[in-house]
Amino acid sequence: MTDRPPSPPTPTPASDDPLEDRVVATTAQLSESIADALGCRLADATLETLLLELDRHEFVDWVTVTRTGDYVWDLSETPDRLGDAIADALVARLEAWLVASDR
């Protein structure tokens, strides 16, 4: 893979695991979850590209790589972040529509 996510913050000791109360999953786990929920499977490369793009826009957080080389993603705030982005886009569209209809 040519595009790598940015390096995660400095690791913390295992006893103070910051991921303990977070919603985290590997790319493979997300792929399985999507397949189970939607009945279709994304190619692993496509899913990783999507996750990297979501990370760049701060919708997900890449936190570490497992010993087997799987990326681990923090999805704890993803629903709120996506909801805010969708709401902002809808408000912008509505405002544009209202301005256009006033002419």
Side-chain angles (χ1 to χ4, degrees):
M1 183 169 85
T2 57
D3 288 331
R4 292 187 161 243
S7 297
T10 305
T12 56
S15 60
D16 297 329
D17 188 1
L19 301 178
E20 188 173 303
D21 295 328
R22 311 294 291 168
V23 177
V24 296
T26 64
T27 304
Q29 289 170 327
L30 287 172
S31 180
E32 281 300 315
S33 180
I34 290 168
D36 290 346
L38 301 178
C40 64
R41 182 173 302 278
L42 290 173
D44 288 346
T46 302
L47 181 57
E48 275 193 0
T49 300
L50 174 63
L51 289 167
L52 288 170
E53 193 61 30
L54 289 171
D55 180 57
R56 284 187 189 100
H57 293 282
E58 300 180 350
F59 292 111
V60 300
D61 294 312
W62 175 75
V63 290
T64 193
V65 176
T66 66
R67 290 181 181 158
T68 60
D70 294 326
Y71 292 106
V72 178
W73 305 93
D74 183 345
L75 307 166
S76 302
E77 297 178 26
T78 299
D80 291 335
R81 292 173 181 174
L82 286 174
D84 290 345
I86 292 168
D88 290 345
L90 287 173
V91 167
R93 288 282 195 149
L94 181 59
E95 287 175 343
W97 177 75
L98 289 172
V99 168
S101 66
D102 284 343
R103 293 182 184 174

